[in-house]
Amino acid sequence: NIIDNFDQSTAYIVYGNQGEIASSIEKITNNATFIATKLECKAGDRFLITGKCVSVQARAYVFVDESDRILLKASQTFVGEKSVIEAPESAITAYFTLTKSESVEFVILDPSIEELDDKITETNKSLTSLEEEVSNIIITESGIEEEIYNSAYLSKDYISAGGTLGTAARYWSVRIPVAKGLRYKLDSSNVSNQTVFRIAKTVEREITEVLINEASPETKNYEIYCDGSFNYILWTLSNAYDLEGTPSVKRIEGGGKKLSPDIQIPPESLPGFEDSIKDITDRLDGVVYKSNIIYCYADQETANQFQAIEDGVNIFVGYNANVNSIQRAINTIPRDTDKQWYIFAVGEFRTSSFNHFATEDPLSGESQEDYVCYIEMVDRQNIHLFGVGNR
């Protein structure tokens, strides 16, 4: 963390458009709103910014080459609760200007972190294998179920993608008081317009742990055991203005996971064994399988509205409102992936069948038709495509 390297009460303002020589680079001082730094960098250097930055006067970041040509920049509103920025090719200098706030953090990412991520991936695979093995020796007894949902539990609170608590008129959540030693079963099968499925433990209105985030809206049920470390469950269901259908919340007393009677345990290993099994199953209950999210924008104008910059990994920008950004995103997904991929298509896309797309590229000026391509998903799996916008 190098937040201490920032100049206090200072902002860098870089004038000019991306791809052009900066017309002016000004260092504004004696401004209590900003903190800023100028860093030497090289292509591929990665920076992590966390914290809410709201000023639009300054730039959150600008990268320039040795001629002060602007390679990459973004307005400060682009930086949200967690943003990773990678220095582009030919970059030698980076200017960062953030809103002064105790919540802002600025970190240069070490490559060893990526190596750690690889180890975490391998660990998750081991946990999956362990879960399968444990499922063969653990049985679940149902216990006594009681439906406790009522409309008084409905809330406008929501869990953001970054795992923080927010409130918005269009969101629908269920906020459930819970008691230690009981289990709770959530079921949204009767909610026809479910668009999100996020669950968090809270103490009053403070989130202590996010159990599910960015999971598929196709997920309809989940079960939680209350160990006394939290007293509410917040369950985000939809970001529509109306909630269509009635969710179910059942309180379960008794039952739970137990060792299968088919498994013979030597008597000398019995003391404390139940606690060990409970520890294993509790750990498995806490495993969250993260999804892979890709955003595809119909054209550059749409991308500009969201201050989105194509990175070829999580963000793709199309040409002339056709679906080439979606196709390029699909092409990056491994054919043998066993993960779930969610592509959010943002904006208005125009498509046609294979037999009707133009044979000439309109950029050459030889075609009388708009180039409207189709989407090919041959030999691909686990891809979920969602429309975000008008069409």
Side-chain angles (χ1 to χ4, degrees):
N1 184 5
I2 62 166
I3 192 71
D4 292 338
N5 289 8
F6 276 68
D7 298 328
Q8 302 298 307
S9 305
T10 301
Y12 284 102
I13 310 295
V14 181
Y15 296 96
N17 297 319
Q18 189 169 319
E20 301 175 351
I21 301 296
S23 58
S24 178
I25 300 177
E26 296 183 11
K27 184 178 180 181
I28 300 176
T29 58
N30 299 323
N31 188 321
T33 305
F34 303 113
I35 53 176
T37 190
K38 175 184 176 183
L39 298 172
E40 293 182 357
C41 67
K42 63 183 183 303
D45 283 351
R46 299 168 73 233
F47 304 88
L48 169 69
I49 302 176
T50 63
K52 194 65 177 177
C53 305
V54 295
S55 172
V56 295
Q57 177 186 1
R59 293 290 174 182
Y61 59 82
V62 178
F63 290 91
V64 300
D65 62 13
E66 60 184 5
S67 302
D68 281 344
R69 183 169 60 98
I70 299 175
L71 304 173
L72 186 65
K73 71 176 184 178
S75 64
Q76 198 146 3
T77 51
F78 175 72
V79 179
E81 293 160 353
K82 183 176 182 180
S83 298
V84 176
I85 300 98
E86 183 170 321
E89 190 71 28
S90 303
I92 65 167
T93 306
Y95 298 90
F96 287 88
T97 296
L98 307 176
T99 303
K100 181 183 289 186
S101 166
E102 293 181 359
S103 65
V104 170
E105 185 179 18
F106 184 86
V107 178
I108 295 179
L109 294 179
D110 191 285
S112 62
I113 293 178
E114 295 181 354
E115 296 174 5
L116 179 61
D117 287 340
D118 291 338
K119 292 181 181 179
I120 291 174
T121 300
E122 290 300 317
T123 301
N124 284 338
K125 289 181 180 178
S126 298
L127 281 172
T128 302
S129 175
L130 175 62
E131 183 179 17
E132 293 173 354
E133 293 178 14
V134 170
S135 66
N136 295 326
I137 65 173
I138 298 296
I139 60 174
T140 301
E141 295 182 354
S142 59
I144 302 173
E145 297 185 359
E146 178 188 2
E147 179 69 48
I148 63 169
Y149 172 79
N150 63 67
S151 59
Y153 290 157
L154 282 179
S155 166
K156 292 298 184 180
D157 295 335
Y158 68 90
I159 306 160
S160 74
T164 59
L165 181 66
T167 303
R170 71 177 187 277
Y171 274 88
W172 290 94
S173 297
V174 178
R175 181 175 163 81
I176 315 148
V178 295
K180 182 178 179 179
L182 300 181
R183 287 182 291 138
Y184 295 84
K185 183 183 294 184
L186 314 180
D187 187 349
S188 56
S189 300
N190 291 327
V191 178
S192 59
N193 64 335
Q194 180 178 340
T195 54
V196 290
F197 191 86
R198 297 176 181 169
I199 302 175
K201 301 175 182 178
T202 75
V203 174
E204 300 305 326
R205 290 185 55 80
E206 181 178 350
I207 292 178
T208 59
E209 182 183 1
V210 177
L211 299 175
I212 289 185
N213 203 344
E214 294 294 354
S216 167
E218 297 172 359
T219 305
K220 295 295 185 181
N221 52 73
Y222 196 76
E223 190 172 304
I224 305 169
Y225 172 78
C226 181
D227 60 2
S229 64
F230 58 100
N231 58 4
Y232 282 91
I233 295 171
L234 183 60
W235 176 23
T236 301
L237 286 169
S238 177
N239 63 350
Y241 281 96
D242 294 311
L243 189 65
E244 300 173 2
T246 303
S248 169
V249 181
K250 292 183 178 178
R251 180 171 54 207
I252 307 172
E253 192 167 357
K257 295 180 176 67
K258 296 183 179 180
L259 189 65
S260 170
D262 297 332
I263 304 299
Q264 300 299 313
I265 303 297
E268 61 271 16
S269 64
L270 282 176
F273 185 79
E274 292 84 352
D275 291 339
S276 298
I277 287 292
K278 182 180 182 304
D279 181 58
I280 291 174
T281 54
D282 286 349
R283 287 172 183 266
L284 290 175
D285 285 344
V287 174
V288 177
Y289 299 96
K290 294 193 177 297
S291 306
N292 299 273
I293 307 297
I294 300 177
Y295 291 91
C296 296
Y297 297 87
D299 48 35
Q300 189 61 55
E301 181 178 355
T302 304
N304 292 342
Q305 294 175 7
F306 296 88
Q307 291 84 45
I309 299 175
E310 176 159 345
D311 60 11
V313 179
N314 301 109
I315 299 175
F316 294 83
V317 179
Y319 166 75
N320 199 25
N322 66 37
V323 295
N324 72 74
S325 60
I326 301 175
Q327 185 65 68
R328 285 185 289 120
I330 292 172
N331 292 346
T332 65
I333 298 174
R335 293 180 186 272
D336 60 347
T337 179
D338 58 355
K339 299 179 180 178
Q340 300 296 316
W341 295 78
Y342 298 90
I343 299 178
F344 291 87
V346 185
E348 295 188 4
F349 290 81
R350 293 183 292 110
T351 65
S352 67
S353 70
F354 173 80
N355 294 325
H356 294 90
F357 75 103
T359 56
E360 299 290 339
D361 186 346
L363 293 177
S364 67
E366 298 175 358
S367 173
Q368 301 301 314
E369 302 178 70
D370 288 331
Y371 183 77
V372 184
C373 54
Y374 69 104
I375 299 173
E376 178 188 43
M377 301 185 73
V378 177
D379 291 336
R380 294 299 198 277
Q381 61 184 359
N382 300 337
I383 298 176
H384 309 266
L385 181 60
F386 295 88
V388 183
N390 294 327
R391 299 175 187 169

